[in-house]
Amino acid sequence: MATIYQVSELAGVSLATVSRVMNNNARVSEKTRSKVLAAMAQLGYRPNSIAQSLASNRSNSVGILVSELHGPFYGDMLAGIENECRAAGKHVIIAAGHSEEASEIDGIEFLISRSCDALILHVEAVSDDYLIKLAAGNIPIVLINRYIPQLADNCICLNNELGGYLATKQLLQQGHRQLAYIAGPMWKSDAKDRYAGHLRAMAEYGVTFNPALFAEGDFQDSSGSACMQQLLAKKLPFTALVCANDEMAAGAIEVAREHGLQVPEQLSIVGFDNLILARYIHPKLTTIDYPIGEMGRMAARWVLKHIYQHQALALKHLFEPVLVCRESACALNV
Amino acid sequence: MATIYQVSELAGVSLATVSRVMNNNARVSEKTRSKVLAAMAQLGYRPNSIAQSLASNRSNSVGILVSELHGPFYGDMLAGIENECRAAGKHVIIAAGHSEEASEIDGIEFLISRSCDALILHVEAVSDDYLIKLAAGNIPIVLINRYIPQLADNCICLNNELGGYLATKQLLQQGHRQLAYIAGPMWKSDAKDRYAGHLRAMAEYGVTFNPALFAEGDFQDSSGSACMQQLLAKKLPFTALVCANDEMAAGAIEVAREHGLQVPEQLSIVGFDNLILARYIHPKLTTIDYPIGEMGRMAARWVLKHIYQHQALALKHLFEPVLVCRESACALNV
DNA sequence: TTGTATGCGTTATCAT
DNA sequence: ATGATAACGCATACAA
């Protein structure tokens, strides 16, 4: 690999000048500039980014921590981030946190040790305090899907409450009045918020919420099945079900089918997230779109703007979910 | 951030000694070692990996190029790679190639400019020649799901032919004799190989292949639907369908349902890949498992063994797919 | 076993 | 506008 020194030699200038034309941050005469450019081309020169990083104290890389690499959700998020970062010439280093505190912390330290210029985190297990302390350190962080008031400017969130509201409202508008709800793990704020939205819609339509028609799952499809079993076992009538995410909805639909329940004719179901699988299950799932790809992209923009001085980038901190109507929910036939 | 120099000062030793205890690659007396360790702890010292890289000419990072970040397939692959690499303290830098030659090359150069110690590539558009030249360069590569004879030792592949054979054999064993086939884009070697396996099974059972029952898709679900439409339009009888991947199978099932065809009672369908969605579509898809996560893990091991001298790692270059029986294929009722 | 000195390929601060 | 030269934080060959 050719170094900057060899280029300078071939071009007959000092290496400082070569550096200048590379970064064109100082005036260089057209003549020498073209000489240098020619020398670079001739040698096939590529700057050593490691040396650049050491000298400039900038690694030009941003670290990403997601809960899981597999699954459709984080893939979309990564795609959004990578796309934006690469266009800006920034490297993307990834690590998985597996929703466990120790593992998340470990992943973050791993990323820090690589001198990332910034961190984009999708963490669940780590405490608010830890994140606040982390943010107070040298390396800026941005949080996806986690709202901490003290770090408000660093958060990119979905309005989960609104999503829960929209899902429920759709069913209410379709005439349903006996609604069941399968929630996510209530210690997670998004699960809690979605549920709050559900309650708001119910109240708005003057429908009293029946605690017997509530079940708490863990966002996995198996828990959707289990919760559905519980609900059916109570022999209480309900014509609609809102699930706090698509995977649980898929599990619930399967159980419904096993019980001979026609979806949506006998039971309307709405999910949340709009994962790819929502299009594949039968009937196609009516759900709430979670623009996670866009949010990843926005997190990347946050970094570009704050760390790499890309001005003129518009930032958005709160995303609004929208309803996606497919086939799993229909008007109540009376 | 504390530097190695400050540690050496506090410990009252030279910075070379500090370096030695960090890498414990040279004999250091227990006494000084503990002095140094104490100093490191006291200062909260973390080595600057950028400086390490520059001095040692090793970046301790491996670059990954996948076609797409979203979707279930590459997520599993990344998960396998990340897992293995992180355990070994290696950083994972990702880029997406989008199955386009220019973009793939761009991604590779992007990774190279970051001085990755090795590259793990899942590329489709780039030519064999390009890869052979690339492999001849300074930076080692390993290829996933791409076999190039000259680079045999660098390839981690699935026996696609065997997979195609197993899928078809299953249907033949279940008594089917009128089989249709929806292929992937035949310029891709995996599509070709899967099809070859299909033909081998057919021949083995003495069933003559009917070209009219063949359709070529592009691995997307929409093409599965389109191909299924074509096949049905011919009004030729067939009781089973093998699809070269799960997504096309999902598309085909949907069309079958629209035409009032019961799956599997009237039409058995087998897919390929065993994506997560295979468990969600109805009926649950019988398919061929593609252990992409394991293959990613193996690619990472290849790198650890060849580049980072982790001896004693067993390598495997060819993976055998297995049949996963679910509900979309059943015995032919006569 | 430990210390000294040099180099890795840049950026950046001085001069000129 | 251009050229010396000192960092940047560490690894390592060589000395002691």
Side-chain angles (χ1 to χ4, degrees), chain A residues 67-148:
Chain A
S67 295
E68 301 295 341
L69 256 2
H70 58 251
F73 188 77
Y74 297 105
D76 280 359
M77 181 176 134
L78 283 180
I81 295 174
E82 191 264 351
N83 207 279
E84 200 78 10
C85 283
R86 178 127 80 97
K90 307 305 173 192
H91 303 265
V92 171
I93 301 180
I94 55 169
H98 305 292
S99 303
E100 287 165 24
E101 183 166 19
S103 183
E104 285 183 354
I105 292 179
D106 185 65
I108 290 173
E109 307 239 321
F110 185 77
L111 259 16
I112 292 178
S113 78
R114 186 45 175 181
S115 330
C116 293
D117 294 332
L119 260 34
I120 296 178
L121 309 177
H122 186 293
V123 286
E124 328 192 76
V126 120
S127 74
D128 281 15
D129 275 356
Y130 173 86
L131 291 170
I132 292 173
K133 280 205 193 86
L134 182 63
N138 305 315
I139 163 166
I141 65 174
V142 22
L143 267 22
I144 293 187
N145 194 35
R146 171 124 180 198
Y147 183 74
I148 300 181

Side-chain angles (χ1 to χ4, degrees), chain A residues 36-48:
Chain A
V36 170
L37 255 20
M40 296 202 330
Q42 183 175 337
L43 292 173
Y45 170 75
R46 337 252 290 109
N48 180 324

Side-chain angles (χ1 to χ4, degrees), chain A residues 210-226:
Chain A
N210 181 352
L213 290 179
F214 173 90
E216 180 177 339
D218 65 1
F219 277 154
Q220 313 277 336
D221 64 339
S222 56
S223 85
S225 298

Side-chain angles (χ1 to χ4, degrees), chain B:
Chain B
M1 259 309 169
T3 74
I4 197 175
Y5 181 72
Q6 297 167 26
V7 174
S8 77
E9 212 170 23
L10 181 60
V13 300
S14 81
L15 91 186
T17 302
V18 177
S19 175
R20 290 192 184 100
V21 350
M22 281 186 50
N23 305 304
N24 52 27
N25 51 8
R27 254 146 291 282
V28 177
S29 78
E30 251 338 297
K31 227 170 136 180
T32 47
R33 150 175 264 99
S34 55
K35 266 197 307 186
V36 169
L37 256 20
M40 298 207 320
Q42 183 176 337
L43 292 174
Y45 171 74
R46 337 254 287 111
N48 180 324
S49 65
I50 302 275
Q52 287 180 316
S53 298
L54 186 61
S56 66
N57 200 25
R58 276 220 153 339
S59 68
N60 283 312
S61 61
V62 1
I64 318 290
L65 186 76
V66 297
S67 295
E68 301 295 341
L69 257 1
H70 57 253
F73 188 77
Y74 296 105
D76 281 359
M77 180 176 135
L78 283 180
I81 295 174
E82 192 265 350
N83 207 278
E84 200 78 10
C85 283
R86 179 127 79 98
K90 307 306 172 192
H91 304 264
V92 170
I93 302 181
I94 55 168
H98 306 291
S99 304
E100 287 165 23
E101 183 167 19
S103 183
E104 286 183 352
I105 292 179
D106 185 64
I108 291 172
E109 308 239 321
F110 185 79
L111 259 16
I112 291 178
S113 79
R114 189 43 174 180
S115 328
C116 293
D117 294 332
L119 260 32
I120 296 179
L121 310 177
H122 186 294
V123 286
E124 328 191 78
V126 121
S127 74
D128 281 15
D129 275 356
Y130 174 85
L131 291 169
I132 292 173
K133 280 205 193 86
L134 182 63
N138 304 316
I139 163 166
I141 65 174
V142 23
L143 267 19
I144 292 187
N145 194 35
R146 172 126 179 196
Y147 183 74
I148 301 180
Q150 296 92 321
L151 265 36
D153 187 54
N154 304 344
C155 299
I156 310 285
C157 292
L158 179 74
N159 190 338
N160 280 295
E161 197 273 347
L162 177 60
Y165 171 81
L166 291 175
T168 303
K169 183 178 179 182
Q170 167 70 4
L171 293 169
L172 291 165
Q173 280 184 327
Q174 289 179 319
H176 298 276
R177 286 300 176 268
Q178 298 169 307
L179 310 201
Y181 191 88
I182 298 182
M186 295 294 278
W187 63 268
K188 294 193 180 179
S189 60
D190 48 1
K192 220 166 19 186
D193 292 345
R194 292 173 187 190
Y195 177 56
H198 172 69
L199 293 185
R200 175 159 69 92
M202 295 283 273
E204 187 172 312
Y205 278 73
V207 180
T208 56
F209 169 73
N210 181 351
L213 290 179
F214 172 91
E216 179 177 339
D218 64 1
F219 276 153
Q220 314 276 337
D221 64 340
S222 56
S223 85
S225 298
C227 288
M228 186 62 176
Q229 296 278 17
Q230 291 172 30
L231 291 173
L232 290 174
K234 297 183 180 173
K235 308 278 183 197
L236 294 173
F238 59 96
T239 65
L241 167 68
V242 8
C243 295
N245 80 346
D246 288 352
E247 299 186 56
M248 294 197 299
I253 285 179
E254 205 179 314
V255 169
R257 180 158 34 231
E258 289 166 9
H259 282 252
L261 270 173
Q262 296 281 341
V263 178
E265 292 79 4
Q266 295 174 271
L267 178 66
S268 284
I269 298 186
V270 176
F272 201 121
D273 280 352
N274 195 22
L275 299 184
I276 321 188
L277 73 89
R279 296 200 316 260
Y280 286 110
I281 60 186
H282 179 75
K284 295 198 185 78
L285 197 61
T286 290
T287 187
I288 301 294
D289 185 57
Y290 187 151
I292 184 64
E294 269 311 303
M295 289 170 64
R297 188 178 295 279
M298 190 55 68
R301 288 216 186 106
W302 189 101
V303 172
L304 290 178
K305 176 161 188 169
H306 287 85
I307 314 308
Y308 300 116
Q309 276 73 41
H310 289 214
Q311 322 290 357
L313 276 181
L315 257 34
K316 185 168 153 190
H317 289 269
L318 188 61
F319 282 70
E320 309 276 274
V322 300
L323 180 74
V324 178
C325 284
R326 293 208 184 86
E327 302 163 359
S328 67
C330 69
L332 180 68
N333 11 358
V334 277

